[in-house]
Amino acid sequence: MQLPLTVVGADGSAPARTAVEQAAREAACHGSRLRIVHTVNWVPPPGFASVLNEAGEKALREGGERVLAEAETTARSVAPEVEVSTTLAMGDPRAVLTELSREALMTVVGSSGTSGIASGLLGSVARHLVTHAESPVMVAREPSAPSAPVVVGVDGSPEAEAATAFAFAEAAACAEPLVALHAWSEWSVPLSPPDDPALRYARAPGELEAGEERLLAQLLSGWGERYPQVTVERRTVRERARQALIEASGSARLLVLGRRGKGGFAGLRLGSVSNAALHHAHCSVVVVHGRRTDSASGGQAPLFGRPAV
């Protein structure tokens, strides 16, 4: 039986080195293979002589091989037990990595690449992958704290359910604690009619918070039984979701989010909360979308499916 696959993009930049290091650790945790990918996208100017065209492409390929060799050395130094392979591909890195994500357990990229304008900006490859990749996508940053927990945003949406599944599997594989964070406000929870029609639409003090705590407990129901080895902290906070999650990322090893949450516009591929976290989180962020199937099992078994309860 072939081991699952973790894919990571490498371009020789410092963020890409961080991505390779974290991808190697992920591969070690999950017992997967690691494939390091570098792309060469050589488009000669019009009228370029064929001999110069060949020389330019050859130089890029040789540079790509050096990038891959350095990345492979980095990965083996982090996780010597992991099976590592390298791929030098022709084409746009966004298209290449998106295609490879179809067979991947996870696809890992740096927060920006060699073409990034500034370290604070999310690179074009990362932006493309989080909205188009078939696997969960990690946008890698240096961990905020050693031995920090996995934090997952929970809001009751199908995307957040998939993120919860991934987060439990991740915490179990890497032997880390899990923080399940649910943010709420008076504006995010609609009023419900009172039991007695003669009463006003008012809640007793603490009733709204207690209801949100019960909701989080319900959303996590069954996961503890499936992953009894994972220590879970349920955290309900009265705050905007994006602020709460970015703040929580300051003491996290990994922040896991659904591609879109509740209340978003149906046509958007990436929700505003996930977008804000990708730009401002203090740790690596994994974006998960919906449910995906394990291609190795013929597309029948969910890779990160909800446990039976």
Side-chain angles (χ1 to χ4, degrees):
M1 180 178 178
Q2 193 173 44
L3 295 174
L5 178 67
T6 297
V7 172
V8 60
D11 63 10
S13 66
R17 179 184 175 89
T18 298
V20 170
E21 291 172 347
Q22 296 210 23
R25 294 188 182 100
E26 289 294 323
C29 280
H30 291 277
S32 73
R33 297 170 289 140
L34 178 64
R35 180 181 297 174
I36 306 172
V37 181
H38 178 75
T39 60
V40 175
N41 197 20
W42 171 243
V43 182
F48 214 53
S50 60
V51 64
L52 295 177
N53 180 19
E54 293 175 4
E57 183 175 331
K58 179 182 178 182
L60 283 177
R61 285 183 174 275
E62 290 174 348
E65 294 289 357
R66 288 193 295 272
V67 167
L68 288 172
E70 292 172 0
E72 182 176 359
T73 298
T74 296
R76 293 189 185 281
S77 69
V78 171
E81 72 278 22
V82 169
E83 177 186 332
V84 181
S85 63
T86 61
T87 298
L88 181 63
M90 292 293 295
D92 188 317
R94 294 169 296 185
V96 171
L97 290 169
T98 298
E99 179 64 26
L100 289 173
S101 74
R102 295 182 177 181
E103 57 179 304
L105 179 73
M106 180 191 303
T107 305
V108 185
V109 289
S111 55
S112 62
T114 53
S115 61
I117 299 173
S119 60
L121 299 179
L122 194 66
S124 62
V125 174
R127 287 199 307 271
H128 181 87
L129 284 173
V130 296
T131 55
H132 292 86
E134 295 295 325
S135 66
V137 174
M138 174 190 286
V139 178
R141 293 185 177 90
E142 293 290 348
S144 302
S147 304
V150 175
V151 175
V152 60
V154 181
D155 66 4
S157 66
E159 303 276 344
E161 182 179 4
T164 301
F166 177 92
F168 268 92
E170 174 74 11
C174 299
E176 293 171 334
L178 176 66
V179 175
L181 190 152
H182 173 60
W184 62 275
S185 70
E186 291 83 353
W187 304 105
S188 66
V189 184
L191 286 172
S192 55
D195 295 334
D196 185 344
L199 298 177
R200 295 180 178 180
Y201 277 61
R203 296 184 175 93
E207 182 181 349
L208 183 57
E209 181 177 8
E212 294 304 296
E213 290 175 348
R214 287 194 298 272
L215 174 62
L216 179 57
Q218 292 169 4
L219 294 173
L220 297 178
S221 175
W223 289 110
E225 288 79 0
R226 181 170 181 176
Y227 296 101
Q229 72 274 44
V230 176
T231 301
V232 183
E233 175 191 345
R234 296 201 298 261
R235 189 181 299 175
T236 308
V237 296
R238 183 181 178 182
E239 194 173 3
R240 293 183 68 185
R242 70 182 68 183
Q243 294 171 340
L245 290 164
I246 291 171
E247 181 180 350
S249 73
S251 57
R253 198 268 299 177
L254 189 66
L255 176 62
V256 182
L257 301 170
R259 186 179 289 179
R260 294 179 59 252
K262 295 178 66 175
F265 295 101
L268 294 178
R269 285 183 175 270
L270 185 67
S272 60
V273 173
S274 298
N275 186 57
L278 284 165
H279 282 84
H280 302 294
H282 304 289
C283 66
S284 297
V285 179
V286 171
V287 176
V288 185
H289 70 95
R291 290 189 179 184
R292 64 175 295 239
T293 57
D294 183 357
S295 59
S297 62
Q300 300 299 318
L303 185 58
F304 297 111
R306 185 168 177 79
V309 293

